[in-house]
Amino acid sequence: MVVEAIERFVRSVADGDFESLALRAFAFQFERVEPYRRWCERSGRSPATVVHWRDIPWIPTSVMKSVTLAAAPARVVFRSSGTTTAGERRSVHHHPFPDLYRRSIESSFPELCLPRGGRPPMLSIIPSFTLEGDSSLSFMIDHVLQIFGGDGSAAVAEARGLDLPRARSWLAARQRDGRAFLLLATALALDQLLRGFERLDLRFRAPAGSAVFLTGGFKTRHSELTLGDLLGRLHERAGIPAGGVVQEYGMTELTSQAYTRSLVGGRADVFVCPHWMRVQALDPSTLDEALPGRDGLLAVLDLANVGSALHLLTEDLGRAEDGGFRLTGRAGGAELRGCSLRAEELEAAAG
């Protein structure tokens, strides 16, 4: 079965079978995901005509706000963060293969987030899956803590928010015992932690080798955080330099994640994918592949998404660089016009 073949591939270190697995996964979804099959038929493509992974029909991520895409009954359901405002809907990922999600975490997280190996103590300031029962990020972080977190690891996000005294005590203990740690944070949670330190005028000196796993959440209800500001404050208050921060690129609609190579001496602004993912930048006007060095809408093919939507067109702008991709922003209304039209067509095809 294609799901088992993909799981074996995810666990491997080679990428020679990517093309054949992508085509098998497309055939699997074409057969089992009825709205997707109708969409493919309307666009004149099928497993009989598609011979390259780049030609597998993609689905705009916005479609997952209104259309259920699942190749088997969902065993876990993830929803995008935030509350609905002005009628806006949240994306819903009906995931039938959570074990494949776990395998993708285990196979990609250590190389770029734990380059020293071992199981360092981890402090998570991201809500657990118990608190955020529909968050794919919380699902991931709980698994990271369980598999890779060393003795003394802790999660200090509670229903009412960040438990600042516990976080402060935990970091003070690492300063005393000299154990390098990994802090797991969203941008918003890290900002809350640092603002707490700033109010109390606290400064820590993290042991050498300590690092921060940082993901999303730069936009608040009233303003937008900047990476440069966060990194400067982190260095000032905790002694962790910018080179000690690995960023993650992920989303509710995907199963896998991409990471920067910050902790292994690579560029801090370029994300690299595991061998079971591919990313293209598509010209927003034509939705053809963008010219080298030009920004485009990022399209992601994630084999681990075999249970829902294999090939996704995101609303992120970026460009291919240095063996990976660099984010350059979010698409605006004009840039998403063609994508939105395609989304409407797919919704119509889904009935």
Side-chain angles (χ1 to χ4, degrees), residues 299-322:
V300 183
L301 196 148
D302 178 10
L303 290 182
N305 244 29
V306 63
S308 51
L310 185 70
H311 203 179
L312 284 171
L313 181 64
T314 76
E315 296 180 2
D316 292 317
L317 290 171
R319 64 179 63 178
E321 281 190 22
D322 198 22

Side-chain angles (χ1 to χ4, degrees), residues 42-165:
R42 284 180 61 149
S43 60
R45 282 182 281 182
S46 72
T49 60
V50 171
V51 297
H52 193 280
W53 72 263
R54 294 174 186 272
D55 299 323
I56 294 173
W58 43 255
I59 292 175
T61 53
S62 60
V63 167
M64 296 178 79
K65 296 178 180 179
S66 57
V67 178
T68 298
L69 302 170
R75 293 179 57 194
V76 63
V77 176
F78 300 122
R79 290 178 173 83
S80 57
S81 61
T83 56
T84 54
T85 56
E88 183 183 354
R89 293 167 292 183
R90 298 165 65 185
S91 284
V92 183
H93 191 170
H94 300 267
H95 210 300
F97 308 124
D99 283 344
L100 183 53
Y101 198 157
R102 295 182 181 98
R103 299 299 87 75
S104 71
I105 295 166
E106 294 166 14
S107 299
S108 62
F109 185 86
E111 179 183 358
L112 296 177
C113 301
L114 299 172
R116 296 171 179 263
R119 289 167 52 102
M122 296 183 185
L123 177 67
S124 173
I125 57 175
I126 297 171
S128 70
F129 197 59
T130 303
L131 294 175
E132 300 284 345
D134 58 2
S135 166
S136 59
L137 175 61
S138 295
F139 182 94
M140 173 193 176
I141 294 303
D142 280 9
H143 194 63
V144 165
L145 285 170
Q146 177 184 356
I147 300 299
F148 301 113
D151 292 342
S153 293
V156 295
E158 299 183 346
R160 65 178 183 274
L162 175 65
D163 188 333
L164 183 61

Side-chain angles (χ1 to χ4, degrees), residues 17 23-24 27 32 35 83 93 125 130 219 226 229 269 272 309:
D17 294 331
L23 296 177
R24 287 176 62 190
R32 291 170 173 256
T83 56
H93 191 170
I125 57 175
T130 303
K219 187 172 292 186
T226 66
D229 176 66
D269 61 345
V272 294

